[in-house]
Amino acid sequence: MAEMLSGGDMLIRALQDEGVEYIFGYPGGSALHIYDAIFRQQKIEHILVRHEQAATHMADGYARSTGAPGVVLVTSGPGATNAITGIATAYMDSIPMVVISGQVPSDLIGTDAFQETDMVGISRPVVKHSFMVRDAAEIPGVVKKAFHIATTGRPGPVVIDVPKDTTDPSATYAYEYPENVNLRSYKPAFAGDMDQVNRVIAELLVAKRPVFYVGGGVIQADAETSLRALVRAVNAPVASTLMGLGAYPGSDSQSLGMLGMHGTYEANMAMHEADLILALGARFDDRVTNNPDKFSPRATIVHLDVDPASVDKIIRSDIALVGDAGWVLNALWDAYQARDAERDAAAREAQQQDIAKWWQQLEQWRSAHGLNHNLQPHEGQSILPQLAIQSLYRVTKGDAFVTSDVGQHQMFAAQYYHFDEPRRWINSGGLGTMGFGLPSAMGVQMGNPESVVACVTGEGSFMMNMQELSTCLQYGLPIKIINLNNQALGMVKQWQDMQYGGRHSQSTYSDSLPDFKTLVEAFGHVGIRVSDPLELDAAMTTAFAEENKNRLVFVDVWVDPNEHVYPMAIKGGAMNDMILSRPQEAAS
Amino acid sequence: MRSILAVLLENEPGALSRVVGLFAQRNYNIESLTVAPTEDTTLSRLTLTTSGDQEKITQIMKQLDKLVEVVQVVDLCKAEHVERELLLIKVRAEGAARAEIKRSADVFRGQIVDVTAQTYTIQLVGPSAKLDAFVRAIDDSGVNATILEVVRSGVSGVGRGNHILAL
Ligand SMILES: Cc1ncc(C[n+]2csc(CCOP(=O)(O)OP(=O)(O)O)c2C)c(N)n1
Ligand SMILES: [Mg+2]
């Protein structure tokens, strides 16, 4: 006999049946029946944030780091609109998330009722899909569909808007959670096309200057094992997007690091000079390609994406691979081994020589203009932001989850922290959302309670969601916040230096910054401030020391405010058009 | 290049707004749009005319296909098809103009569906280009025929013969 439950109870029960561990949320009138249902159960823990935007970023960080969908619950009106930035952030980076928003009762919809907003309408351009519950009885089915859509194909956020009357405790329904979903209009590609796979291998076996261009799709699909095997077998270089860092180990010599606007010299040069580019789970974002018309003039382009609409959208591919990155990479790896075993030794030998020559070129680029990962502190100077990331990398032994915000600090973190495993580097790539770092770190810590979680932020970004320090105390989240404090909206200031004659319009506020050490102490956490490069390592070590294992520690690192992020792509140019240093910038 | 896209869509609230929203959001233009339920009431059929080069049309079709409620999309212009649009045009028709307008309507095989002492309302069915030509003919007819109202249904289309769009 099916149990009789109210709409509110069915909703929570359905989440339990989905295996949801945490709901990140904030209550309000339209959601109160649901909140009462949460109160009367133990299986799911609700995390009470201080602002709904933070709830979405927490759910997002949880999802990115664990692979499981993040779940958010907000009330109607302002609760729903506050969630929009986080939904858009998840949408741009294809993160699985289910957002449940309370809505005014069905009979008031359309009357401009108190706290009514058209959530389905407002969120429409930034969701993968959305549902409005019309009848309480459909709640279990809607939840099932929402999770299915959020987590399959190209993942993304799904909104379920729940009018208050459909969660009314006085009406009950026979609860049954559907086992399967079958949506005739939604059949995402999974298996790839073997003919295309074989065409790729044929190219790969004769390539002289191959590059693997790896994006977040490989991480989402948990496809790193076959990727790594294939890369090593071919002896190819790997250039990673901001979202793809960690799919291939960053500290490995075959990794060229990040490509694109602030990518390494060697990664961007390799892309430009390649004869074969394997774009895997990457989407030729404008921050990668620079001017698409000048993109990699000689390369044969292979594009693997689960979303057919990504293929040929910006750059026309020569061989398209539509399907799940895990499936396709496994197929590529199997086919490569089979075909490699068949080819004669001379052919293999010839290709190995070509690729060895390619590596000579790559190493030459790397040694000429690669990033210096062995920076030294200098007495009497300000701390270089890069040095702070290097210190973080060493103190955490390269093994932390690192979230970030948006700005110079984010680029320095991406450049100087080597991620050897997927899902360790968590940042808002597509939307570039300042305020993402702290709440996403909280979600990462909830999903990985035993792991070290660091948030590399800038004082500007941090102040966009710093109210969450209170949530961190409530749930005992021992995050380490590394604040690269350059007393400015540094990335904006850099653009103004480079493109607006140094006119710093609205990008500085050094005379009004809070004392972050006492600020975090007021929230009940540990604050450290460091401005001497010779004390940097000690401060970093203290932050991660055993004594602070269970404490949130905020390290306010006063860095050189004049530092710019290099390389920087030259606007309108090809990928090999980069400014590499301040003298070059001054000369151009 | 003009394209006529035929779309089968789940007949659910909000589905149409996703299609229209997609066009606005991605800066695609819609020249005309018609939609109505099909004989299977769980499905709507939508016919949409747009324009762009082949790459753009392909991208539009892929983006449409990505919408969860879209079941199928085809570009009718890719194969033999029948295209029809309905025009209702109301013109001021007085004196000598009355006969002239009626003659034009006959040439285009239009029907006069409403008559007053001052006006004719003419109905015409055909491909959009024919409707355009008729409106131009009335406009340029030289006689004193003022167009008062033009109402067009937007294009509906269907593939010829065995080109069938159904589940
Ligand atoms: C919500 C939001 N508003 C504005 C921007 C534009 N923006 C990009 S970087 C940046 C400056 C960030 O300053 P800070 O967090 O201090 O980082 P820094 O660049 O100084 O390291 C701004 C304003 C953004 N990315 N997100
Ligand atoms: Mg700053």
Side-chain angles (χ1 to χ4, degrees):
Chain A
M1 256 290 291
E3 225 179 313
M4 298 301 288
L5 297 177
S6 72
D9 286 329
M10 285 200 293
L11 179 59
I12 296 304
R13 175 64 81 78
L15 296 179
Q16 291 176 354
D17 286 344
E18 268 305 319
V20 171
E21 281 184 291
Y22 297 109
I23 297 174
F24 304 98
Y26 205 83
S30 299
L32 286 183
H33 296 329
I34 307 172
Y35 271 89
D36 196 59
I38 290 176
F39 190 85
R40 289 180 282 98
Q41 58 89 53
Q42 271 81 44
K43 280 195 182 158
I44 302 180
E45 187 180 357
H46 180 277
I47 308 298
L48 177 67
V49 293
R50 301 297 180 265
H51 187 296
E52 290 88 349
Q53 183 189 347
T56 54
H57 294 329
M58 271 186 94
D60 183 322
Y62 173 85
R64 291 184 203 232
S65 63
T66 63
V71 179
V72 175
L73 174 59
V74 295
T75 191
S76 64
T81 56
N82 274 351
I84 292 291
T85 302
I87 296 172
T89 303
Y91 179 72
M92 289 296 277
D93 289 341
S94 310
I95 304 303
M97 185 187 283
V98 173
V99 178
I100 298 161
S101 50
Q103 182 54 280
V104 301
S106 306
D107 58 344
L108 290 185
I109 290 176
T111 66
D112 302 316
F114 178 64
Q115 296 195 328
E116 180 188 358
T117 191
D118 173 11
M119 179 56 166
V120 167
I122 289 183
S123 62
R124 201 207 64 240
V126 293
V127 295
K128 182 169 174 188
H129 195 57
S130 48
F131 295 92
M132 157 80 83
V133 174
R134 308 264 151 195
D135 174 1
E138 66 184 43
I139 287 177
V142 165
V143 172
K144 182 79 190 176
K145 284 183 208 162
F147 277 85
H148 175 66
I149 293 169
T151 55
T152 51
R154 180 176 182 172
V158 175
V159 162
I160 308 177
D161 202 30
V162 188
K164 188 167 183 181
D165 52 302
T166 67
T167 55
D168 190 330
S170 65
T172 60
Y173 306 81
Y175 173 81
E176 203 177 335
Y177 198 59
E179 291 205 347
N180 303 305
V181 237
N182 186 15
L183 294 165
R184 64 180 169 185
S185 60
Y186 176 72
K187 304 262 183 252
F190 188 78
D193 177 340
M194 272 320 287
D195 290 342
Q196 297 291 83
V197 166
N198 288 326
R199 284 180 62 200
V200 174
I201 297 306
E203 294 286 343
L204 196 54
L205 287 170
V206 296
K208 296 179 163 66
R209 300 184 309 281
V211 178
F212 281 62
Y213 153 38
V214 175
V218 172
I219 294 179
Q220 297 262 13
D222 297 312
E224 67 276 4
T225 309
S226 42
L227 168 79
R228 291 170 178 199
L230 184 60
V231 165
R232 287 183 180 130
V234 178
N235 188 28
V238 178
S240 174
T241 70
L242 180 67
M243 303 310 298
L245 294 171
Y248 189 82
S251 64
D252 187 276
S253 64
Q254 276 173 254
S255 167
L256 304 180
M258 182 170 71
L259 49 58
M261 178 173 272
H262 294 296
T264 66
Y265 181 73
E266 57 271 31
N268 288 337
M269 292 302 289
M271 288 290 284
H272 191 77
E273 298 296 338
D275 69 347
L276 176 66
I277 290 178
L278 274 82
L280 307 173
R283 60 185 175 89
F284 296 91
D285 183 84
D286 51 275
R287 285 292 188 269
V288 166
T289 59
N290 207 358
N291 184 346
D293 295 334
K294 299 181 182 169
F295 181 78
S296 198
R298 286 170 291 276
T300 297
I301 297 191
V302 174
H303 191 179
L304 161 60
D305 206 298
V306 70
D307 177 2
S310 282
V311 176
D312 298 336
K313 185 175 69 172
I314 311 285
I315 300 288
R316 185 192 283 279
S317 62
D318 297 293
I319 308 177
L321 295 166
V322 174
D324 173 74
W327 192 99
V328 176
L329 270 158
N330 275 333
L332 285 169
W333 174 225
D334 289 346
Y336 179 85
Q337 290 173 89
R339 298 280 293 279
D340 180 50
E342 286 163 14
R343 67 172 159 171
D344 61 58
R348 184 179 304 116
E349 176 74 10
Q351 192 194 20
Q352 282 168 356
Q353 278 177 20
D354 288 332
I355 293 184
K357 234 191 274 166
W358 180 220
W359 271 109
Q360 281 174 13
Q361 173 67 78
L362 295 165
E363 291 299 352
Q364 193 199 322
W365 286 327
R366 175 141 61 189
S367 62
H369 298 294
L371 301 172
N372 176 5
H373 290 285
N374 201 13
L375 298 163
Q376 300 302 324
H378 292 294
E379 200 180 340
Q381 293 184 358
S382 18
I383 298 175
L384 283 180
Q386 299 92 325
L387 185 73
I389 304 298
Q390 186 181 288
S391 174
L392 171 69
Y393 179 65
R394 289 184 182 161
V395 169
T396 57
K397 302 187 178 62
D399 200 28
F401 284 86
V402 179
T403 74
S404 192
D405 270 292
V406 178
Q408 292 182 316
H409 62 273
Q410 173 196 27
M411 291 299 117
F412 290 133
Q415 290 178 333
Y416 285 85
Y417 200 105
H418 299 302
F419 294 93
D420 284 345
E421 295 301 332
R423 302 192 180 280
R424 293 298 176 90
W425 165 242
I426 311 281
N427 83 134
S428 164
L431 199 67
T433 308
M434 289 172 68
F436 177 81
L438 173 59
S440 64
M442 294 158 65
V444 173
Q445 189 78 78
M446 303 282 338
N448 305 271
E450 302 306 321
S451 301
V452 173
V453 181
C455 164
V456 174
T457 187
E459 79 300 320
S461 296
F462 176 70
M463 286 192 287
M464 283 208 175
N465 266 323
M466 65 181 179
Q467 75 286 346
E468 297 307 318
L469 287 173
S470 170
T471 312
C472 290
L473 189 73
Q474 183 173 356
Y475 297 96
L477 301 175
I479 295 158
K480 314 301 179 221
I481 301 171
I482 313 303
N483 185 44
L484 301 189
N485 188 344
N486 53 9
Q487 303 153 66
L489 302 174
M491 188 56 96
V492 171
K493 194 165 142 253
Q494 172 169 349
W495 282 53
Q496 290 170 338
D497 284 336
M498 296 173 92
Q499 294 170 26
Y500 297 91
R503 294 184 295 281
H504 295 162
S505 178
Q506 307 297 317
S507 55
T508 59
Y509 40 41
S510 61
D511 48 3
S512 55
L513 285 175
D515 174 351
F516 286 104
K517 182 175 181 312
T518 50
L519 177 90
V520 297
E521 285 168 359
F523 275 97
H525 303 301
V526 180
I528 300 175
R529 178 177 161 163
V530 57
S531 53
D532 181 344
L534 300 181
E535 290 167 11
L536 176 64
D537 280 342
M540 204 66 82
T541 306
T542 307
F544 290 90
E546 189 59 28
E547 76 215 54
N548 286 322
K549 189 162 185 275
N550 298 318
R551 304 291 303 274
L552 183 150
V553 183
F554 183 102
V555 190
D556 189 21
V557 188
W558 280 55
V559 296
D560 185 343
N562 297 316
E563 192 61 15
H564 283 177
V565 183
Y566 299 111
M568 174 140 174
I570 297 173
K571 203 167 175 283
M575 283 189 78
N576 62 348
D577 292 318
M578 293 168 266
I579 297 173
L580 299 171
S581 65
R582 194 176 288 260
Q584 187 194 343
E585 178 190 326
S588 68
Chain B
M1 199 180 62
R2 176 165 172 271
S3 272
I4 306 173
L5 304 181
V7 181
L8 281 183
L9 191 67
E10 294 289 355
N11 187 8
E12 277 169 15
L16 180 61
S17 73
R18 283 182 223 275
V19 173
V20 175
L22 174 75
F23 276 72
Q25 181 186 346
R26 296 198 180 262
N27 211 8
Y28 306 147
N29 75 316
I30 301 183
E31 276 152 26
S32 77
L33 172 73
T34 66
V35 61
T38 63
E39 81 292 358
D40 171 353
T41 52
T42 66
L43 285 175
S44 302
R45 179 163 173 150
L46 192 144
T47 313
L48 202 152
T49 54
T50 183
S51 55
D53 57 20
Q54 190 49 54
E55 264 171 49
K56 177 116 181 209
I57 300 297
T58 307
Q59 183 60 215
I60 291 175
M61 290 176 69
K62 285 176 172 180
Q63 293 291 353
L64 277 169
D65 221 8
K66 221 164 96 171
L67 294 177
V68 168
E69 283 147 335
V70 167
V71 187
Q72 275 186 56
V73 189
V74 294
D75 181 354
L76 293 175
C77 297
K78 283 275 171 247
E80 294 275 282
H81 65 281
V82 179
E83 167 197 343
R84 289 293 179 270
E85 188 177 358
L86 170 74
L87 167 79
L88 293 171
I89 182 169
K90 189 184 289 181
V91 286
R92 185 171 301 286
E94 286 168 320
R98 285 181 89 84
E100 180 62 28
I101 292 166
K102 180 154 185 340
R103 239 188 326 273
S104 296
D106 289 344
V107 170
F108 280 86
R109 295 177 203 277
Q111 290 166 279
I112 297 176
V113 292
D114 185 49
V115 184
T116 68
Q118 292 82 34
T119 65
Y120 277 148
T121 300
I122 304 156
Q123 166 188 311
L124 186 66
V125 173
S128 302
K130 175 177 165 184
L131 272 48
D132 295 339
F134 179 62
V135 174
R136 237 180 293 122
I138 296 284
D139 212 18
D140 302 345
S141 59
V143 295
N144 199 7
T146 316
I147 297 175
L148 299 171
E149 251 181 284
V150 174
V151 185
R152 297 175 70 146
S153 64
V155 174
S156 288
V158 70
R160 282 193 191 271
N162 282 330
H163 295 284
I164 292 160
L165 175 64
L167 277 190

